[in-house]
Amino acid sequence: MDTGKIKLSIDSDMRQVQHVGEAVRCLASHLELADAKPSSVELAVVEAVNNSIEHAYQSEAGNLVDVAFEYNTDCLKIKISDYGTPMPKSIAGQFSSDVTMPNTSVELDALPESGWGMQLLKSVCDEVSYKRNESRNTLSLSFKLASVTA
Amino acid sequence: MSFETEIKDGIAVVSVTAGRLDANIAPDLKMAVAEIIDGGTSRIMLDLQSVQFMDSSGLGAVISSFKLTGQKGDFVICNMNEAVREIFTLTHMDRLFEIYPSTDEGLQKMCA
């Protein structure tokens, strides 16, 4: 399995996300990932698709989310695209910086219940980038394959 | 039904029976735990044995449940698989939660 391209499209309905997640894990389990595990790839894609549905489409069904996989001998690239509201700069700008998890050394009541998704995504990917092109938002995730580090 | 609750020695053991603790069922977990606490039980063990996948929404629901039990309550987790544990490790939540490898071990500690 040297190179390949696969495209999936789902409706912006949370009940559809599981199917993408399972497909991604299955695909990733057939590739020799350098650092990530198939379950981590699934986590990253699920977080990205959740983000498209919740933020770009405000949890409204009936919109399109595209997930495109492309792999070669070096890496697995996954692009998640939607056509909704652009990602706020405060979030998109985080992809070029180090992972900063929400502060956990706080009182129990102040412990954050949200805001973990994009940081988790960054933690498990080798590279993350965001691009707005006309009406299309694309989050690109990259995972190195084992041949790169061999 | 995504959850089953059994009371053992005054401890509510909440078993997530769904294979995925994600954005679809996270609100239901918060509600299930809130009902248990409203019923007068603030010692809760979350059994994740059936959970093969968890996302940040699931993590948020677990944190919310932990907060609902308050400072005077108990909230422990048991039976995490490797993928779920990774999320707790990456977010440093493994330092905050009491996590046990089995229900029996968790109950033993809670009843000690």
Side-chain angles (χ1 to χ4, degrees):
Chain A
M1 206 151 71
D2 288 336
T3 61
K5 287 181 183 179
I6 300 171
K7 285 185 181 176
L8 293 172
S9 292
I10 62 160
D11 188 75
S12 54
D13 180 336
M14 280 297 182
R15 289 170 297 185
Q16 303 292 321
V17 180
Q18 171 177 355
H19 305 308
V20 176
E22 287 170 347
V24 167
R25 189 178 67 237
C26 185
L27 171 72
S29 69
H30 289 283
L31 300 171
E32 282 191 50
L33 297 160
D35 304 310
K37 298 170 192 155
S39 59
S40 310
V41 180
E42 179 182 10
L43 175 65
V45 172
V46 165
E47 293 297 347
V49 176
N50 282 350
N51 185 71
S52 286
I53 295 174
E54 288 175 5
H55 300 294
Y57 295 133
Q58 290 84 45
S59 302
E60 190 180 276
N63 300 289
L64 194 64
V65 181
D66 295 323
V67 183
F69 310 84
E70 189 173 347
Y71 55 87
N72 54 33
T73 51
D74 296 333
C75 73
L76 166 65
K77 286 186 177 174
I78 306 175
K79 292 183 177 180
I80 298 94
S81 301
D82 64 63
Y83 305 85
T85 308
M87 187 179 281
K89 284 182 182 169
S90 57
I91 296 175
Q94 293 176 11
F95 295 130
S96 54
S97 58
D98 290 339
V99 174
T100 48
M101 288 294 173
N103 187 8
T104 55
S105 50
V106 293
E107 290 294 314
L108 182 60
D109 284 343
L111 205 54
E113 293 172 32
S114 59
W116 302 95
M118 289 297 107
Q119 298 302 326
L120 272 172
L121 182 150
K122 268 174 64 182
S123 300
V124 298
C125 295
D126 291 308
E127 279 180 38
V128 183
S129 64
Y130 167 77
K131 195 174 176 183
R132 171 81 175 177
N133 189 356
E134 295 182 358
S135 60
R136 184 184 176 106
N137 302 305
T138 301
L139 195 57
S140 302
L141 319 178
S142 179
F143 300 89
K144 286 178 195 161
L145 298 184
S147 57
V148 172
T149 54
Chain B
M1 280 284 286
S2 302
F3 311 99
E4 282 175 3
T5 303
E6 191 181 354
I7 305 293
K8 289 182 180 173
D9 299 322
I11 297 161
V13 180
V14 181
S15 303
V16 182
T17 53
R20 300 173 73 88
L21 183 46
D22 59 14
N24 282 311
I25 70 160
D28 299 338
L29 175 61
K30 292 183 197 176
M31 210 179 297
V33 170
E35 280 174 13
I36 291 166
I37 292 167
D38 287 346
T41 305
S42 60
R43 305 190 76 202
I44 293 172
M45 171 182 286
L46 185 65
D47 183 355
L48 298 179
Q49 185 165 32
S50 300
V51 178
Q52 300 301 309
F53 175 83
M54 189 167 92
D55 66 9
S56 63
S57 303
L59 178 69
V62 173
I63 293 170
S64 169
S65 303
F66 181 38
K67 287 164 75 171
L68 283 172
T69 58
Q71 300 286 3
K72 291 178 183 172
D74 275 334
F75 187 88
V76 306
I77 307 172
C78 65
N79 287 323
M80 275 184 192
N81 78 359
E82 198 185 331
V84 174
R85 182 172 278 277
E86 187 185 18
I87 292 176
F88 279 76
T89 307
L90 289 169
T91 56
H92 306 148
M93 282 294 145
D94 56 335
R95 302 174 192 171
L96 284 179
F97 284 96
E98 278 187 56
I99 299 168
Y100 296 102
S102 69
T103 317
D104 285 347
E105 236 175 291
L107 284 171
Q108 209 175 347
K109 293 279 184 186
M110 287 180 90
C111 294

